[in-house]
Amino acid sequence: MFILLALCCHNASGQAIDNDASGSFSQFLSEIEHQEEFQSSLSKQLAKKSDEGSTVTAAEELPLGELAKSEQAEEPSDDSDMLTLADVVASLYRSYPEITRIRQESRVADGQLLSAYGAYDTKLDAHSLSEPTGFYRNYRQGIGVARQTWWGGYLAAGYRIGRGSFQPWYKERQTDEAGEFKLGFSKPLLRGRAIDAQRVAVFQASLARQAAQPLVRKTILDSSLDAAAIYWQWVAAGAVLRAQTELLDLAEERGEQFKVGVDAGKFAEIDLILNQQLIAERRAKRLETEQKYRETSFKLSLFLRDENGQPMLPDDRWIPKHFPLIERPDLNSFASDYAAAISRRPETELIRFALRQTELDSQLARNDMLPQFDFVAEASQDIGPPATKSDDKSEFELVIGFQSEIPIQRRKARGKIQSTSAKIVQLNEKLRLVQDKIGAELRTAHNALVLSQQVVEQADISLRAATKTLELYRFAFERGKADLIYLNLVETKANETKIKLVESQRAWFVALAEMQYALGLDPLDQAMMVAELPPNEREGF
């Protein structure tokens, strides 16, 4: 049995939600330009947060050591002030530069398609040639239009006039006094009839335009997975910083008590010195933790952006105090999850588009193996008074026939067939490998999700036991039954257990994001469902 996440199937109230999120995903991509209401709402939410926060400037950060005090002094009024994963992903959809860059691929493809159709543009041709000196003096002018037809031939029509005296071997340049009208037509019968280079260019450009959308989806999936990992790392770093701050506060508070006790003669001075050592060690550990927290804040600002698209450093007051509630996922078969992932994941679509483009090159190469054999026709009619006494140009003239050409070795076509056939094999193997990787990603994410939940449960049990042990040791210490060294060890162990619980919850939500990525689900829909989960009120968090 395999999983299909409860978050993918049910909302917070338990109502069914369509598993196939690719529809809404595609709809978002196709209508992103028109979602003014969504962007306006998002801008208001981020503007509300930016009034309290800032863009990434060092001058506006809290000084080191002041984070915990600011959190205690300014507790958020409600959960709406917390930065959720949905806020980050929505900001990423709107302003992340990599996604904005990839969205331009559709315009690039449109330009390439328009350029490919340029091969069928109607061409205007004109000339004016004069030979004003010499024994044969003549003047020739002409104008015409021509265009290539979709089926490989061409059609041309024009008018020309030639006056003066012409060399006997150039008599075809001469026309009657009012000029000549001409119509030409060519039609391939073998090579170039079923397909030609111009049509291949149009087909491939059209495929490139269709491939732009899955390319955007792939970029959104990749960027959203990175954003989710950084977001949960940021939440965990904030929780660890609070835990280290609480541990430091205990030592500082105890230090004040020891100082009063030493002055009153109730405690030995060695206890005061040992506690001062503990304060220094815990303060150094807290500073290291704060450094990591700031680092994750800077990384998160790459994905969290203001209405102008500039990185926005998350405010310390936005950090959630609790992870969302972890729920046991529903189970489903691997086969159904795998089939759904293959149908949603854009990587397979992109390879299939590349495969179809290569197949077009192969078809063109096989067509080039055929001999060129074209039907040609040309009709002309001179008008006006005859230019010569023999009046040999006034009759309607028609030329019809065939033209043929073929390279004897045909090495160009044979080489192209060989290379395209090898490329098709390569792409098929690449497609097979990508499908295998998707299956491995599903299994890996499933394994991580199930086991990380068990780790969370065991870490929770361990924390409860460590908290109970700490309470007993504190009771004994207050009555002189335990010394400071043992109390410090127990406090440190309890703090480490609390941090392990934080890390296990972070690992579960990262595994959840990886599972959603492996299934190819819409990151924004999934992030919004995660944001709707109630907070996990575990002990100490």
Side-chain angles (χ1 to χ4, degrees):
M1 297 294 288
F2 227 69
I3 69 164
L4 184 59
L5 303 179
L7 297 177
C8 308
C9 304
H10 302 278
N11 60 15
S13 62
Q15 295 175 340
I17 293 179
D18 186 3
N19 245 346
D20 189 0
S22 60
S24 60
F25 200 6
S26 301
Q27 184 179 7
F28 173 85
L29 292 171
S30 62
E31 298 179 359
I32 187 68
E33 300 291 340
H34 307 289
Q35 292 186 343
E36 298 178 356
E37 182 178 353
F38 164 75
Q39 293 197 4
S40 175
S41 174
L42 177 61
S43 298
K44 291 178 181 178
Q45 294 178 21
L46 292 178
K48 177 182 178 182
K49 287 180 166 56
S50 62
D51 290 340
E52 304 168 354
S54 62
T55 54
V56 183
T57 54
E60 296 177 342
E61 297 175 22
L62 287 176
L64 293 178
E66 296 299 322
L67 172 62
K69 295 179 181 178
S70 69
E71 290 178 344
Q72 294 173 1
E74 300 185 33
E75 287 290 334
S77 59
D78 53 49
D79 292 341
S80 63
D81 293 330
M82 300 298 181
L83 181 67
T84 66
L85 180 60
D87 294 328
V88 177
V89 176
S91 175
L92 178 145
Y93 268 56
R94 185 187 64 176
S95 304
Y96 192 54
E98 182 66 12
I99 295 177
T100 303
R101 180 183 72 84
I102 294 299
R103 282 197 183 111
Q104 296 302 312
E105 286 296 320
S106 61
R107 296 189 61 191
V108 172
D110 287 339
Q112 292 174 343
L113 181 59
L114 182 62
S115 178
Y117 273 116
Y120 301 97
D121 287 349
T122 300
K123 301 172 181 63
L124 178 65
D125 178 34
H127 67 272
S128 179
L129 304 174
S130 302
E131 294 185 32
T133 61
F135 184 79
Y136 298 100
R137 300 182 181 183
N138 54 74
Y139 306 89
R140 290 171 287 143
Q141 289 82 32
I143 187 170
V145 292
R147 66 164 297 171
Q148 182 170 332
T149 63
W150 179 253
W151 300 109
Y154 75 88
L155 183 64
Y159 168 82
R160 68 185 183 92
I161 185 170
R163 295 179 177 179
S165 58
F166 293 86
Q167 299 87 336
W169 52 89
Y170 285 144
K171 284 295 185 178
E172 73 277 1
R173 296 177 176 177
Q174 188 176 25
T175 67
D176 283 345
E177 293 297 327
E180 176 194 72
F181 290 96
K182 181 178 289 188
L183 182 66
F185 173 74
S186 174
K187 168 67 178 176
L189 302 179
L190 291 176
R191 186 202 304 173
R193 183 180 68 86
I195 194 170
D196 58 16
Q198 290 74 26
R199 274 175 282 174
V200 167
V202 170
F203 296 149
Q204 290 181 335
S206 179
L207 289 172
R209 183 174 65 174
Q210 297 175 51
Q213 187 174 8
L215 185 59
V216 172
R217 285 175 23 225
K218 181 180 184 303
T219 305
I220 289 178
L221 284 171
D222 293 341
S223 302
S224 298
L225 180 61
D226 294 340
I230 294 297
Y231 172 79
W232 294 120
Q233 186 179 353
W234 174 69
V235 173
V240 172
L241 181 57
R242 287 194 298 273
Q244 297 292 0
T245 301
E246 291 172 3
L247 192 63
L248 174 61
D249 290 343
L250 286 174
E252 290 178 340
E253 182 180 351
R254 190 179 297 123
E256 295 295 330
Q257 296 173 354
F258 276 131
K259 186 175 181 181
V260 174
V262 170
D263 293 340
K266 295 182 179 181
F267 296 109
E269 188 175 358
I270 186 63
D271 291 333
L272 178 61
I273 296 174
L274 178 58
N275 193 75
Q276 289 174 346
Q277 178 185 350
L278 293 179
I279 291 175
E281 291 176 352
R282 293 179 180 182
R283 183 175 289 120
K285 188 65 176 178
R286 206 281 302 273
L287 291 174
E288 292 177 2
T289 305
E290 186 167 0
Q291 178 186 356
K292 294 180 181 179
Y293 169 75
R294 295 298 181 195
E295 181 181 342
T296 57
S297 297
F298 299 147
K299 291 180 180 179
L300 185 60
S301 68
L302 292 176
F303 304 98
L304 182 65
R305 294 176 177 266
D306 60 22
E307 57 186 6
N308 297 320
Q310 296 300 315
M312 185 166 61
L313 190 66
D315 192 279
D316 296 329
R317 293 167 295 179
W318 299 352
I319 192 165
K321 298 301 183 291
H322 303 275
F323 282 90
L325 182 65
I326 294 177
E327 297 179 348
R328 184 177 297 276
D330 292 338
L331 297 178
N332 203 351
S333 67
F334 170 75
S336 62
D337 280 352
Y338 179 71
I342 292 297
S343 65
R344 294 192 194 102
R345 289 285 288 269
E347 294 93 328
T348 57
E349 289 185 62
L350 291 172
I351 295 176
R352 289 190 178 97
F353 280 124
L355 188 60
R356 289 166 63 185
Q357 288 178 324
T358 306
E359 288 172 346
L360 287 171
D361 285 331
S362 179
Q363 292 176 21
L364 178 61
R366 296 181 188 281
N367 185 265
D368 287 343
M369 289 289 290
L370 300 174
Q372 179 181 344
F373 189 70
D374 300 343
F375 170 77
V376 294
E378 184 178 287
S380 61
Q381 176 66 63
D382 285 62
I383 58 175
T388 62
K389 294 180 180 179
S390 60
D391 193 15
D392 57 352
K393 297 194 175 286
S394 59
E395 297 293 330
F396 175 76
E397 297 179 359
L398 176 64
V399 177
I400 58 174
F402 301 93
Q403 291 180 340
S404 182
E405 177 187 356
I406 181 173
I408 297 177
Q409 291 86 1
R410 293 179 291 183
R411 287 178 291 190
K412 180 178 180 180
R414 288 162 52 201
K416 193 65 178 292
I417 290 174
Q418 181 178 342
S419 64
T420 54
S421 298
K423 287 181 179 179
I424 289 173
V425 173
Q426 288 178 328
L427 289 171
N428 281 321
E429 291 301 311
K430 184 177 181 180
L431 178 61
R432 187 162 66 94
L433 179 59
V434 167
Q435 292 174 339
D436 292 343
K437 284 183 177 180
I438 291 174
E441 288 174 0
L442 282 172
R443 296 182 188 275
T444 302
H446 166 263
N447 181 68
L449 200 61
V450 172
L451 294 183
S452 61
Q453 181 174 355
Q454 297 177 12
V455 172
V456 171
E457 294 171 354
Q458 295 304 313
D460 188 34
I461 295 173
S462 178
L463 177 59
R464 295 179 188 276
T467 303
K468 182 64 175 178
T469 302
L470 179 58
E471 291 175 355
L472 295 175
Y473 261 89
R474 283 176 179 169
F475 181 82
F477 177 77
E478 291 172 357
R479 284 155 180 76
K481 302 298 182 180
D483 58 24
L484 183 60
I485 295 178
Y486 281 107
L487 180 60
N488 171 57
L489 292 175
V490 175
E491 286 179 345
T492 302
K493 184 63 177 178
N495 190 64
E496 291 175 353
T497 305
K498 184 183 293 187
I499 292 174
K500 287 180 180 178
L501 176 58
V502 170
E503 289 298 324
S504 64
Q505 292 180 88
R506 180 200 63 80
W508 189 89
F509 281 100
V510 171
L512 174 64
E514 291 174 349
M515 188 64 183
Q516 293 164 350
Y517 173 88
L519 289 170
L521 299 173
D522 183 350
L524 184 57
D525 287 348
Q526 300 305 304
M528 292 177 67
M529 282 187 274
V530 170
E532 293 174 358
L533 292 174
N536 189 357
E537 301 288 349
R538 293 185 181 272
E539 182 177 352
F541 292 92

